[in-house]
Amino acid sequence: MSPGLDPYDADRPLRLGCACGQHGSADEHVQAKAAVATLQARSESEDFVARANAFIEAAVVKALFPQDAVRRRFLRAVGRSTAMAAIGSVLPLASLQAMAQDKAALEKKDLKIGFIPITCATPLIMAHPLGFYSKQGLNVEVVKTAGWALIRDKMLNKEYDATHFLSPMPLAISLGAGSNPVPMRVATIQNTNGQAITLANKHKDKRDPRQWKGFKFAVPFEYSMHNFLLRYYVAEAGLDPDRDIQIRVVPPPEMVANLRAGNIDGYLGPDPFNQRAVYEEIGFIHLLTKDLWNGHPCCAFGTSAEFIQKNPNTFAALFRAVMTSAAMAREAKNRELIAKVIAPQAYLNQPETVIAQVLTGRFADGLGKVQSVPDRADFDPMPWQSMAVWILTQMKRWGYVKGEVNYKQLAEQVFLLTDAKKTMAALDMQPPAGAYPKFTIMGKVFDPEKPEAYVSSFAIQRAA
Amino acid sequence: MRSLNLRAALLSLALLVLLLAVWQVATLPSGGSPAPAAASMTAEEIEYAKLLGKDPTAGAAPAAARSGFPTPAQMAAAAWAQLASPFHDHGPNDKGIGLQLAHSLGRVALGYLFAAAVAVPLGFAIGMSPLLYRALDPFIQILKPISPLAWMPLALYTIKDSSISGIFVIFICSVWPMLINTAFGVAGVRREWLNVARTLEVRPMRRALEVILPAAAPTILTGMRISMGIAWLVIVAAEMLVGGTGIGYFVWNEWNNLSLPNVIFAILVIGVVGMLLDLMFARLQKAVTYAD
């Protein structure tokens, strides 16, 4: 443990303030503070700093050159420093490591970041108590927000500088679906996997979605992976999500209450509310969305294009803080401590054991079994454009957007911070064709090069 | 008289005790089979129980299921925990109940004062002019019954600021009772008094302030009292939607945690504060009422 981080050092001011009422006992109070201190110590170990830097750099370079071969060719052709300069000329995201040492002047230091209290927001939230924001010279206030529509409105109002998004939201907002069109950008994906389909206990014997005709389901927002994955899943079973089942938009805590009251039969919701239903003994986890599409994106961290343009250095600092946090959250050994840090009132406000089960992947499934799925929730921050294209195909498929959709253009605008093609053209390099990774969703391969064909390949769809 | 008060107080107390007793009985853990002893469980069963927040190895009988409705004792514990540090402030997402109430009351005061500043003069004008009254009546009738929740999205969209939107919603919902009552009170001032004023050639300003206002004051204050009640109703709904701070946000946040004891505690607090506000206006009303 590095000096100055000993949690038992009486003189050390601890960051997670609580005097307290937040924890059940003095013992828990000490434990939570110790968790913060341990995580901070880990974040300052040389080993982790090196790894986090590599992680950030890899993310940026990978974002530019999703194909390994092209990336290698590019780096070999121009050399490291030129490559960094080239990337940096497009957006000051690049040479992030260098910037970490000689920090450019921040345009704006006091920032407000919105979040919805769910485990998807883990990196964004934990960066606050662990001091990752302040380490970048930022004074960030993370503000708990009452719903996704409000997140959208507060981003449009510029009350928030950056925010926790559902990954389809920046696409929808940029398109003007469900709001005025305002260009939004996804900086990183906040988390991958991490959702589940929860059913009421009375449906324990109806594990086949073909038996779900007439069921009522809840999802947290229309433009959400939850909605698209649920629709995809039931449609694969031959049910029309618009006709054979009912899908309602319901805030997550009300999902649990409605499940108890019997108003809904199940939901595809964010954690911890799937685990919470098990904890309350009213529902069981039918399947993890990881089993539909392993590595699917869920929430994202993003902001408006305008904010990035006006505050490039601030944005880069913010990006580094969130990415450091993501690097930390990815490591399994940190997960239990992270659960302690983000469970209190000011953040998720949930029982710690519920959060720990979600993050560690060792959980009670509601059917009497303890399951061990370490990748139940992961924090891979890569905003692959093919993810954006997939989201757009589903928006098209279910009629959320009509007419021609310029999939690639939108995906590149919203899901990528750097205009890779321009850079490459400037360097006389041929932009790669088919540089988007393919995904397999419920056994079906999605080819982002042929989005239109993908949409029309589904028997059940609303696309005009 | 004294004995009537005493008897009423005793009856109230008895009702409270009865209520608590019914509550206690209704929330008793439902019989069911007692949890099997740890000794008879497999390691996995024990772990499973622990993951559900029940520790079978702890020895003592498990507490009542936390999923059910809270017992009076759980309720009291929640209330005590809240009241122990009503003014703690751990950043924007964790403030004591006292601070939350202060935020809500501040918003209510602002929205309400704006409403009064608009409604009382406008009501005066409407009450004195039958033409204005008829012209504005359809608008008032249509706008009056709109719920605060319906105003909220529109306010957020147009005002583009959530806290001002909250204040606007209080304004727009509490303006109508004041307006209608003021107009009604002003229009209902006795003809004779106005005629006397006219005979004495009192100037319009003086007539308004010294004849009409005192005569209409009880009715105006009734409107203000109704409006205050509405403003207090509205703030909880508005803050649940907009979040941030305030007692409504507190309810939402505890609901997010599915913490029923804290939600019930907040409901009681809202009730008590609402009652205090109403009492305040009852006092005011009494002060301006005169016997004919």
Side-chain angles (χ1 to χ4, degrees), chain B residues 126 129-139:
Chain B
I126 293 177
S129 151
L131 173 71
L132 257 185
Y133 183 86
R134 289 196 187 189
L136 289 179
D137 193 49
F139 295 97

Side-chain angles (χ1 to χ4, degrees), chain B residues 145-178:
Chain B
I146 298 173
S147 145
L149 300 183
W151 282 112
M152 202 42 142
L154 183 70
L156 268 178
Y157 190 87
T158 45
I159 301 176
K160 296 194 187 299
D161 183 301
S162 54
S163 59
I164 299 181
S165 299
I167 293 167
F168 167 78
V169 170
I170 292 170
F171 165 82
I172 198 78
C173 290
S174 56
V175 82
W176 311 115
M178 279 195 262

Side-chain angles (χ1 to χ4, degrees), chain A residues 170-171 174 184-187 409-417:
Chain A
L171 288 164
S174 300
M184 291 287 159
R185 299 288 181 259
V186 169
Q409 194 193 331
L410 256 167
E412 277 168 30
Q413 271 174 5
V414 177
F415 259 51
L416 201 50
L417 296 155

